[in-house]
Amino acid sequence: MATAAGMGIGAACLVAPQVRPGRRLRLQRVRRRCVAELSRDGGSAQRPLAPAPLVKQPVLPTFLVPTSTPPAPTQSPAPAPTPPPLPDSGVGEIEPDLEGLTEDSIDKTIFVASEQESEIMDVKEQAQAKVTRSVVFVTGEASPYAKSGGLGDVCGSLPIALALRGHRVMVVMPRYMNGALNKNFANAFYTEKHIKIPCFGGEHEVTFFHEYRDSVDWVFVDHPSYHRPGNLYGDNFGAFGDNQFRYTLLCYAACEAPLILELGGYIYGQKCMFVVNDWHASLVPVLLAAKYRPYGVYRDARSVLVIHNLAHQGVEPASTYPDLGLPPEWYGALEWVFPEWARRHALDKGEAVNFLKGAVVTADRIVTVSQGYSWEVTTAEGGQGLNELLSSRKSVLNGIVNGIDINDWNPSTDKFLPYHYSVDDLSGKAKCKAELQKELGLPIRPDVPLIGFIGRLDYQKGIDLIKLAIPDLMRDNIQFVMLGSGDPGFEGWMRSTESGYRDKFRGWVGFSVPVSHRITAGCDILLMPSRFEPCGLNQLYAMQYGTVPVVHGTGGLRDTVENFNPFAEKGEQGTGWAFSPLTIEKMLWALRMAISTYREHKSSWEGLMKRGMSSDFTWDHAASQYEQIFEWAFMDQPYVM
């Protein structure tokens, strides 16, 4: 428990500047750079202005009690020495000069005082939540620490957006040490906290590292199973055989972190909102129900399952259930039986345990990453075997479209673009197109529509349809550029197609972040013929950059791309074309409609660009929708007591 002195050091103060009577003025925030001991992580970042109330340490279940003598950390950076705290009286000595400031300018000004100087800065007002909560994200990846796909983008951005709205947010993920990623965890400090987890036939010790960044507590679970070459989930030989063990440890550690980690001098406590992402974190709601609430712990906590891709469910043989450390009576929550056609041989009973199914059964609310995908997962075609179970929980199933990070994806500030532009001045986009054509070795022709594709080269992304359609498209006066890697067969096809159509086609095998930004800005049309797409981000990036998307109307693509309608009652509407069903004929029809509009109806095309650029796909918008989900979750008792 934090001492009174510790509480005084970590507190920030509110001071109202003196102004003339009768003048309405908001309370201004005067903040000292307080030098506080941020728990035992050794970090020196500032904490939020209003620390959470001090929570009495709960009585932990006997199966998870922190050991008394922590082991020596390995390869952890030494924390910086802590200077003596500033006296509290220093705040009262700040007298900001208000001369020359209007009432409106004062309302948007924060006074910031450090130990060396005071400065006045203008800031954009940030929307605040009506009710602030303690939110704990559990995930297998989060950008910029470790990322393999869209899951990493979401868990790297959404927590920050929620923190900026006033919530106290923690993200719990593995501390991957594979050589290439080691530098990403360089600022994380050893907390001197560790626990022993009873599972897989023994007790396995994990430790916690912590970094405070962008108003979020990033907590990294450390264990030797996360220290190996390869990517996050496997290597060149396939998925790691002990992934079930690795993410069981993560889930246990995530349940303990809010109870034992004093971050900024305060634990998160028991009244938490757990946001569990995909199968890697899906054991968390099961543990809350099976191993905590029976002991009176986490009775006020709630859990939300976020499904990013239902195709990955964490399925392992039923014989592994005893390894999970769960009571025998909870087997039914994870029980899974493969249909006969999916079994290996005639004697195979198809019995398995399914992590994601366990979360679907026990979570308080379920969210998919788009409204369209929330419907698709309840159908036989898109439910991946869980459609009936998800249909039974329709009352708590919602969809929220992911946001985009406008700090990284903004055509007016993008560091990867040769020219900048905005919705009010589109002149830079034509220059970006010319530079892209020059970079790729294509003829610089502003009159020719440039079509782009960015993504994995696999069956899900519809590359086979593009391959079949290219001969027809190359007869038209267009240019086509593709960026991606994946199936070696499709990679070889891209190379051979480029050699056959030197003036019209370019295929960039591999992936480059700068090139992806320049293609997004330089193309006129972005093609996304995905067979299924839970959310999709490239179409959001394209619209942000004034590039018109042509997509297959599925999942998040259907939700975010509005079909162009030149005859709407209130004038032209729409941001692109969403075709369905997924056939070559429909795809070519949509592309030719876009090409015709680009060539023959310049004013309509400019309207398409501007409507896309004006759409609100920010993370702040998505965060406000998640707050509504949190509110609904806390309205009811836990789904499983």
Side-chain angles (χ1 to χ4, degrees):
M1 183 174 294
T3 64
M7 293 168 60
I9 293 172
C13 303
L14 294 175
V15 177
Q18 299 297 320
V19 295
R20 293 188 298 272
R23 187 176 182 183
R24 182 181 62 83
L25 182 64
R26 287 185 187 173
L27 184 65
Q28 300 304 306
R29 194 177 300 174
V30 180
R31 188 175 186 180
R32 290 186 299 115
R33 184 176 298 169
C34 299
V35 182
E37 182 181 356
L38 302 180
S39 77
R40 301 177 182 174
D41 60 358
S44 59
Q46 292 179 350
R47 307 300 303 178
L49 282 179
L54 191 61
V55 181
K56 184 178 180 181
Q57 183 78 17
V59 178
L60 299 182
T62 56
F63 62 87
L64 279 181
V65 179
T67 55
S68 58
T69 306
T74 58
Q75 298 181 351
S76 63
T82 304
L86 296 175
D88 289 340
S89 60
V91 176
E93 297 170 2
I94 298 174
E95 297 181 358
D97 182 12
L98 300 179
E99 290 301 323
L101 292 178
T102 64
E103 179 177 342
D104 179 68
S105 67
I106 292 177
D107 282 347
K108 298 179 181 178
T109 302
I110 286 179
F111 297 103
V112 181
S114 71
E115 65 268 36
Q116 296 178 345
E117 62 181 355
S118 300
E119 60 182 349
I120 299 176
M121 60 183 69
D122 291 327
V123 296
K124 182 179 179 181
E125 289 188 1
Q126 171 68 42
Q128 295 293 300
K130 294 179 181 179
V131 179
T132 57
R133 306 188 186 278
S134 294
V135 184
V136 179
F137 280 77
V138 190
T139 177
E141 59 185 81
S143 178
Y145 303 102
K147 171 190 167 182
S148 67
L151 172 60
D153 288 323
V154 174
C155 293
S157 300
L158 179 57
I160 296 174
L162 287 168
L164 291 176
R165 295 177 64 86
H167 301 279
R168 191 180 187 202
V169 184
M170 175 196 301
V171 178
V172 183
M173 64 173 287
R175 183 172 177 259
Y176 297 107
M177 294 280 109
N178 64 358
L181 296 177
N182 291 16
K183 62 182 184 297
N184 296 346
F185 300 91
N187 294 326
F189 290 90
Y190 179 55
T191 64
E192 299 183 13
K193 294 287 187 179
H194 63 113
I195 58 174
K196 291 184 177 180
I197 297 174
C199 64
F200 286 81
E203 290 187 340
H204 305 274
E205 190 169 77
V206 301
T207 58
F208 296 92
F209 285 71
H210 173 244
E211 178 182 356
Y212 183 71
R213 179 182 61 82
D214 291 333
S215 303
V216 174
D217 290 304
W218 304 89
V219 174
F220 308 108
V221 180
D222 195 50
H223 185 268
S225 64
Y226 304 132
H227 303 179
R228 59 180 61 157
N231 58 42
L232 308 185
Y233 311 116
D235 53 22
N236 294 334
F237 300 100
F240 293 132
D242 62 346
N243 274 342
Q244 185 190 49
F245 167 69
R246 300 167 79 216
Y247 295 105
T248 297
L249 293 182
L250 173 67
C251 293
Y252 271 98
C255 291
E256 284 296 290
L259 301 177
I260 67 172
L261 295 183
E262 297 176 0
L263 306 178
Y266 300 88
I267 63 172
Y268 274 59
Q270 299 186 45
K271 192 173 183 180
C272 293
M273 169 56 69
F274 285 91
V275 182
V276 299
N277 295 271
D278 276 354
W279 78 265
H280 318 94
S282 288
L283 206 59
V284 168
V286 182
L287 291 172
L288 295 180
K291 304 202 73 170
Y292 284 87
R293 291 191 183 118
Y295 293 88
V297 181
Y298 282 136
R299 286 186 175 271
D300 293 326
R302 301 293 185 272
S303 60
V304 173
L305 168 65
V306 183
I307 300 175
H308 300 261
N309 192 337
L310 195 62
H312 306 289
Q313 300 180 12
V315 179
E316 296 289 346
S319 59
T320 63
Y321 178 80
D323 295 333
L324 305 180
L326 292 169
E329 60 268 22
W330 280 87
Y331 173 74
L334 279 72
E335 182 181 15
W336 179 256
V337 179
F338 282 101
E340 290 187 8
W341 61 265
R343 300 176 189 178
R344 296 180 178 179
H345 48 76
L347 299 179
D348 186 357
K349 296 181 179 179
E351 296 176 348
V353 290
N354 185 323
F355 271 34
L356 191 65
K357 183 222 172 184
V360 172
V361 169
T362 55
D364 298 295
R365 306 285 307 191
I366 303 171
V367 175
T368 64
V369 289
S370 68
Q371 294 178 358
Y373 196 51
S374 70
W375 171 78
E376 289 180 6
V377 298
T378 63
T379 66
E381 294 80 8
Q384 302 287 338
L386 290 175
N387 50 292
E388 293 184 2
L389 181 59
L390 286 164
S391 295
S392 70
R393 302 215 63 194
K394 265 187 177 180
S395 61
V396 297
L397 176 61
N398 300 93
I400 298 176
V401 173
N402 289 335
I404 59 176
D405 189 341
I406 58 174
N407 294 319
D408 293 334
W409 292 91
N410 188 337
S412 63
T413 59
D414 193 328
K415 63 182 179 181
F416 299 120
L417 301 188
Y419 300 96
H420 293 142
Y421 59 95
S422 67
V423 68
D424 299 318
D425 181 8
L426 294 170
S427 59
K429 183 167 177 63
K431 297 177 181 178
C432 287
K433 176 180 178 179
E435 286 294 324
L436 178 64
Q437 290 172 322
K438 181 180 179 181
E439 178 181 0
L440 297 176
L442 291 169
I444 300 177
R445 300 182 59 187
D447 59 311
V448 172
L450 179 56
I451 304 172
F453 170 89
I454 302 172
R456 292 194 315 274
L457 304 181
D458 62 19
Y459 181 77
Q460 179 205 336
K461 299 298 182 181
I463 306 301
D464 55 319
L465 292 180
I466 297 177
K467 179 180 177 181
L468 293 173
I470 280 295
D472 280 343
L473 285 173
M474 292 295 102
R475 296 190 185 101
D476 295 336
N477 193 18
I478 65 152
Q479 293 176 345
F480 203 111
V481 56
M482 297 181 67
L483 170 67
S485 62
D487 188 309
F490 289 134
E491 291 180 354
W493 165 78
M494 280 173 54
R495 294 186 180 97
S496 62
T497 303
E498 179 176 324
S499 63
Y501 302 98
R502 294 296 302 170
D503 291 339
K504 290 188 174 183
F505 186 93
R506 287 294 181 272
W508 187 302
V509 176
F511 189 78
S512 166
V513 171
V515 174
S516 70
H517 281 244
R518 291 195 287 272
I519 290 177
T520 302
C523 284
D524 301 298
I525 300 168
L526 183 80
L527 178 61
M528 291 185 67
S530 302
R531 282 183 163 78
F532 68 92
E533 197 70 67
C535 177
L537 290 174
N538 285 335
Q539 83 278 11
L540 305 183
Y541 299 149
M543 289 188 283
Q544 179 77 4
Y545 280 61
T547 301
V548 178
V550 175
V551 304
H552 173 220
T554 181
L557 302 180
R558 181 175 58 241
D559 288 354
T560 53
V561 179
E562 181 184 358
N563 262 313
F564 175 55
N565 181 4
F567 308 111
E569 292 182 3
K570 298 182 180 180
E572 293 183 348
Q573 293 181 352
T575 56
W577 282 266
F579 62 89
S580 185
L582 183 62
T583 63
I584 298 176
E585 293 76 19
K586 281 289 187 179
M587 184 179 75
L588 287 172
W589 174 86
L591 278 173
R592 284 173 174 147
M593 286 293 294
I595 293 169
S596 174
T597 305
Y598 174 84
R599 285 179 174 152
E600 302 171 13
H601 305 280
K602 292 296 184 182
S603 61
S604 296
W605 190 262
E606 184 174 329
L608 278 163
M609 294 168 63
K610 289 187 174 182
R611 285 190 294 275
M613 296 178 76
S614 302
S615 301
D616 184 6
F617 294 115
T618 61
W619 275 115
D620 184 66
H621 180 66
S624 66
Q625 295 177 292
Y626 272 93
E627 288 172 349
Q628 181 63 71
I629 300 295
F630 298 164
E631 182 179 344
W632 288 336
F634 277 101
M635 281 182 178
D636 301 320
Q637 291 296 313
Y639 182 63
V640 178
M641 288 295 292

